[in-house]
Amino acid sequence: MVESPPLLAARDLTVVLGGVKALDGLSLDLMAGRRTVILGANGAGKSVLLRTLHGLIAPSAGTLSWARPHRQAMVFQRPVMLRRSAIDNVTYALSVNGIPAKERAARAASALERVGLAPIAERPARALSGGEQQRLALARAWALKPEILFLDEPTASLDPGASAEVERVISAIADEGTRIVMTTHHLGQARRLADEIVFLHAGRTVERTPVADFFRQPASKEASLFLKGELPWT
Amino acid sequence: MFEIFASLQAAWALVNGADPALARIVALSLELSLAAALLGAAIGLPLGALVAVGRFPGRRAVIVALNALLGLPSVVVGLLVYLMLSRAGPLGSWGLLFTPTAIVMAQSLLVAPIVAALARQTCEDAWRDYEEQLTSLGVSRARAVPTLLWDARYSLLTTVLAGFGRAASEVGAVMIVGGNIDGVTRVMTTAIALETSKGDLPLALALGFVLILVVLVVNAAAYGLREWSVRRHG
Amino acid sequence: MDVTLPRRRLCFGLAAALVAASSLITTSTLAQPTFITIASTTSTEQSGLFKEMLPAFTKATGIEPRVVALGTGQALDMGRRGDADVVFVHDQVAEEKFVADGFGVQRLEVMYNDFVIVGPRVDPAKARGKDVLEGLRRIAAARAPFASRADKSGTHAAELRYWQAAGIDLGKEKGPWYRETGSGMGPTLNTASGLNAYALADRGTWLAFKNRGDLDIVVEGDQRLFNQYGVMLVNPAKHPHVKKDAGQKFVDWVVSPAGQSVIAAYSIGGQQLFFPNAKPRAEPARR
């Protein structure tokens, strides 16, 4: 089988933050239509990698090349909600991205519908609970119809019930064809959501393995130490 | 102590008696100071937000200059506006010297740097929280300016009130460019200065209490508006 | 729901501010009846004379006079810059120079009042009397506190002339006893009252002044204390925008029998403050 060229090819990425090499010559190809979960110990470079791929951090060396023009979005561990209603947070993002005014309301409403926030669409976004805010952040990202969605530990600040809701939404987004690239500290979550695991160590990609294989028998020594809980994390 | 008590009584008599001359002075003070606060805000808010999110050479110098302008001596502003508007000055043909418009111009020049300097700090703090999220949504720095101003509106209301306070309490510049003309450019502060000149200190102080009352009412109204808006929009 | 809402509100605020500002411009330039700007002195304003006199003028002519009250020096400067239509002040020497330099059309004498020296009731310098020069000599000799306007006003100019005539060289004698306030008559009287100092004041401002403390009149009645007021139109040849017709009307009215009788009638507590002394004219000045 001939694979199409990767949606995103990262080559030899190096990022230095505050004098520390957060990424150290990292290379990674992201194929279309998969769900990738990035694992690694604390300080391995997971968040920096996501931000670099998303374009928030400019690498000091290396290249990022996209196969074609694309739409992308990102959801952060702590979403920033604008001081306005839930639905206005979504329409704001649509407006910024040049969606014609007459389409915005319907698109925002359907995004809220899909994350289960339609009944509280008019509530001030900042008055929502943490889980609701994270689902609103997902709706805001989803409404943009991204081809690729980066998620940086989207459930780290949430209780189990809210986490389950957020996982359900992420799955739904992935099922509609959006490429998911996500970091998490929660191994169960990685097992449930991922097709493949990318394991980072010290700013490099150490291994990249289908999810079932990774949890049965990781290829690298670092990953097996990590799974045994012998690498410090969180 | 006795004099202060007598002044409070006199102030009460002034307010209670609804003296039409006083009412006119109070109304003019209020109108001019509000106009100056609005004009100063119309200049200062976007300017402050632009400096907050902007990246340009000399930005630090601009910030230091803005902060230094907080201490701008009002008499200097008064003289500058006077020399501009004087018949012998560059804008002399406008015939604006000794008019309420001249007062608003001088007051706005005093208010704008205050609003800009305080708004710059407020917006910069907000930008620190928002930058990643807004950049991720595709918001340009220019587009971020109105977003930050709107989201920081409750803090900025206080900023604009500070500007209003400066305008309402201004005497030096107002005396120079307004001329303290009875029935035309006599406002609370210049009336107070005049009564002080006449040695009628209790009346001067009584007028001072009336001015404080007016400023208090404006601030209470703004606070009420804010509370109502917070309840409604969050 | 529409996301452009906030921006629209910002725009609204901006528009409101501009509308407010422009409405001020229109009210100040269009909606007013004819008005003239008079640069005058604090003594005429703060003594209350203008409150009495100006409504009578408006009633007679329909013209609204707007008075900016300053020291004589500043008032003449305002005229020089073209920021006033009429100057109404009290410093004959400076006024004549103003006209000679071409800034004023013709100086007409209007009225006089008199200066008084006020000071502590107990009169530590023993300056009390009728002779202004002797009074000043005693104040200087006693190094008794004296508050001077020091603001180039007519009163200040008069004060300096009296010191000179009294043979006192302020340049040499000036010391901590001689306080230069650099401000108007009222603030200077406030200072004198606070310091229990002597001061030269015009009688009108003194009579209307309320914060006297321990001060009282110490010297009065000297011929030399007479204080002549003059009125003049700012020269339209220098400043074409000067409202020469309305301004001239004011000048003419002030020296007319009607204006002079209003001045004569003004008093505080039964005391007449200003004494009209315009010279009768065969015909009004034509310029």
Side-chain angles (χ1 to χ4, degrees):
Chain A
M1 196 177 103
V2 180
E3 273 207 86
S4 51
L7 178 62
L8 172 60
R11 289 286 169 274
D12 305 319
L13 291 181
T14 298
V15 170
V16 181
L17 292 177
V20 177
K21 266 191 187 173
L23 297 184
D24 186 9
L26 180 147
S27 295
L28 181 67
D29 286 345
L30 293 176
M31 304 298 168
R34 290 211 190 138
R35 312 171 185 197
T36 304
V37 169
I38 299 171
L39 293 178
N42 211 26
K46 306 187 293 293
S47 289
V48 175
L49 175 60
L50 280 196
R51 282 168 172 74
T52 308
L53 297 178
H54 187 42
L56 292 176
I57 297 176
S60 41
T63 56
L64 273 178
S65 39
W66 293 86
R68 56 179 184 274
H70 64 286
R71 282 184 308 277
Q72 54 170 320
M74 182 156 174
V75 169
F76 299 86
Q77 181 179 340
R78 291 178 183 280
V80 175
M81 289 298 145
L82 299 178
R83 204 185 288 276
R84 50 190 88 191
S85 70
I87 190 157
D88 282 354
N89 266 274
V90 182
T91 40
Y92 173 83
L94 294 172
S95 144
V96 166
N97 284 275
I99 308 302
K102 52 182 188 290
E103 286 179 32
R104 291 175 207 157
R107 239 165 108 167
S110 95
L112 287 185
E113 184 75 49
R114 287 195 282 182
V115 301
L117 292 180
I120 52 174
E122 296 299 335
R123 277 220 214 134
R126 295 200 172 183
L128 302 182
S129 71
E132 286 165 342
Q133 289 199 11
Q134 196 57 290
R135 276 188 282 150
L136 177 54
L138 285 163
R140 184 164 64 186
W142 200 355
L144 298 175
K145 299 187 178 160
E147 286 169 59
I148 183 162
L149 175 62
F150 299 100
L151 303 114
D152 187 19
E153 307 195 22
T155 63
S157 330
L158 304 180
D159 62 48
S163 294
E165 282 290 305
V166 167
E167 273 186 37
R168 183 190 64 72
V169 173
I170 295 171
S171 286
I173 293 175
D175 290 345
E176 288 200 5
T178 296
R179 179 77 170 82
I180 300 286
V181 182
M182 168 173 153
T183 65
T184 184
H185 277 130
H186 194 303
L187 296 183
Q189 186 174 66
R191 216 190 281 260
R192 285 190 293 279
L193 287 176
D195 297 329
E196 60 171 6
I197 301 290
V198 169
F199 187 79
L200 297 193
H201 184 73
R204 292 168 186 267
T205 309
V206 175
E207 72 166 277
R208 171 182 201 150
T209 317
V211 65
D213 299 344
F214 181 83
F215 283 105
R216 201 174 53 237
Q217 183 61 60
S220 64
K221 194 179 81 197
E222 291 87 351
S224 59
L225 281 173
F226 173 77
L227 287 177
K228 284 184 206 146
E230 289 173 20
L231 280 182
W233 55 294
T234 305
Chain B
M1 261 340 274
F2 174 73
E3 280 180 342
I4 292 175
F5 183 69
S7 296
L8 275 171
Q9 274 184 322
W12 175 245
L14 282 171
V15 174
N16 225 16
D19 174 29
L22 176 71
R24 223 176 35 210
I25 291 176
V26 169
L28 186 64
S29 275
L30 202 55
E31 185 188 350
L32 300 188
S33 303
L34 284 174
L38 286 176
L39 263 178
I43 300 164
L45 289 178
L47 184 66
L50 272 172
V51 174
V53 304
R55 292 287 172 271
F56 51 88
R59 179 172 176 273
R60 276 161 207 265
V62 169
I63 291 172
V64 170
L66 268 186
N67 289 343
L69 284 176
L70 286 172
L72 188 62
S74 64
V75 176
V76 174
V77 171
L79 276 174
L80 282 175
V81 174
Y82 181 93
L83 292 175
M84 294 298 282
L85 295 183
S86 168
R87 289 290 178 176
L91 307 179
S93 60
W94 293 5
L96 288 178
L97 193 61
F98 306 132
T99 64
T101 310
I103 294 181
V104 172
M105 287 170 78
Q107 286 177 322
S108 304
L109 280 180
L110 285 167
V111 169
I114 292 183
V115 173
L118 298 180
R120 198 273 308 163
Q121 189 64 56
T122 303
C123 289
E124 202 168 296
D125 293 344
W127 183 236
R128 209 162 290 141
D129 294 339
Y130 282 30
E131 182 174 6
E132 228 175 28
Q133 180 76 66
L134 291 187
T135 308
S136 166
L137 289 176
V139 178
S140 66
R141 283 177 191 273
R143 181 71 172 81
V145 166
T147 305
L148 287 176
L149 289 176
W150 180 245
D151 261 55
R153 58 195 178 274
Y154 302 129
S155 310
L156 292 175
L157 181 63
T158 309
T159 299
V160 175
L161 282 175
F164 169 77
R166 171 119 206 212
S169 62
E170 179 42 42
V171 54
V174 170
M175 189 71 97
I176 295 172
V177 304
N180 192 24
I181 298 170
D182 195 11
V184 182
T185 55
R186 181 160 302 162
V187 295
M188 292 298 292
T189 51
T190 55
I192 292 168
L194 178 63
E195 292 310 326
T196 306
S197 289
K198 288 177 172 173
D200 199 341
L201 306 188
L203 177 57
L205 191 54
L207 287 170
F209 286 133
V210 174
L211 176 59
I212 292 170
L213 185 70
V214 168
V215 172
L216 210 63
V217 167
V218 168
N219 276 274
Y223 190 78
L225 177 74
R226 185 203 136 118
E227 291 291 289
W228 174 79
S229 182
V230 167
R231 267 201 308 279
R232 216 166 150 251
H233 305 292
Chain C
M1 273 294 123
D2 186 345
V3 282
T4 57
L5 195 63
R7 211 176 351 168
R8 214 186 292 151
R9 285 195 201 169
L10 283 177
C11 291
F12 174 76
L14 223 138
L18 293 178
V19 166
S22 59
S23 77
L24 284 169
I25 292 170
T26 44
T27 50
S28 62
T29 53
L30 298 177
Q32 295 295 338
T34 312
F35 68 88
I36 52 171
T37 305
I38 301 172
S40 190
T41 69
T42 47
S43 53
T44 41
E45 159 110 309
Q46 291 180 12
S47 63
L49 172 67
F50 276 154
K51 267 218 157 61
E52 197 74 16
M53 194 171 115
L54 300 182
F57 170 68
T58 304
K59 211 171 151 196
T61 61
I63 296 167
E64 179 202 340
R66 295 183 175 178
V67 175
V68 179
L70 304 158
T72 290
Q74 281 176 289
L76 288 171
D77 268 345
M78 238 182 94
R80 258 179 223 113
R81 302 182 61 88
D83 291 327
D85 303 307
V86 172
V87 180
F88 187 177
V89 291
H90 63 106
D91 183 349
Q92 190 166 349
V93 179
E95 289 162 44
E96 279 165 355
K97 183 169 188 309
F98 181 79
V99 173
D101 291 346
F103 290 106
V105 172
Q106 178 195 15
R107 173 179 178 273
L108 293 175
E109 302 203 325
V110 180
M111 62 188 187
Y112 67 90
N113 67 347
D114 63 338
F115 291 121
V116 294
I117 294 181
V118 299
R121 226 168 250 131
V122 294
D123 191 19
K126 310 232 173 308
R128 198 180 298 278
K130 228 188 135 176
D131 186 331
V132 57
L133 304 185
E134 185 54 30
L136 288 179
R137 280 187 208 111
R138 291 187 180 187
I139 290 167
R143 295 289 185 259
F146 184 95
S148 166
R149 294 273 298 265
D151 63 348
K152 294 193 172 171
S153 59
T155 307
H156 181 222
E159 183 210 312
L160 294 179
R161 280 198 299 273
Y162 296 141
W163 285 114
Q164 200 179 17
I168 289 162
D169 182 355
L170 273 182
K172 277 195 202 133
E173 307 276 328
K174 214 188 257 183
W177 63 278
Y178 187 81
R179 313 284 172 98
E180 301 186 292
T181 66
S183 52
M185 193 69 260
T188 301
L189 283 174
N190 274 327
T191 305
S193 164
L195 296 173
N196 236 358
Y198 291 89
L200 182 75
D202 65 279
R203 188 185 294 273
T205 306
W206 170 252
L207 284 177
F209 185 74
K210 299 216 167 104
N211 181 32
R212 293 182 185 176
D214 270 337
L215 300 187
D216 201 357
I217 291 179
V218 176
V219 178
E220 64 181 326
D222 191 324
Q223 279 286 335
R224 285 169 292 209
L225 284 170
F226 284 5
N227 173 30
Q228 181 66 46
Y229 283 78
V231 69
M232 64 222 77
L233 181 71
V234 174
N235 195 351
K238 281 257 184 196
H239 295 291
H241 60 268
V242 164
K243 294 170 180 159
K244 61 174 182 219
D245 294 335
Q248 189 62 49
K249 265 191 193 153
F250 180 79
V251 172
D252 291 342
W253 182 84
V254 169
V255 300
S256 74
Q260 294 276 294
S261 66
V262 172
I263 293 169
Y266 182 61
S267 63
I268 294 180
Q271 281 206 55
Q272 182 175 345
L273 293 193
F274 296 96
F275 300 86
N277 67 344
K279 296 179 181 69
R281 289 187 299 166
E283 52 181 296
R286 299 232 175 266
R287 300 280 144 186

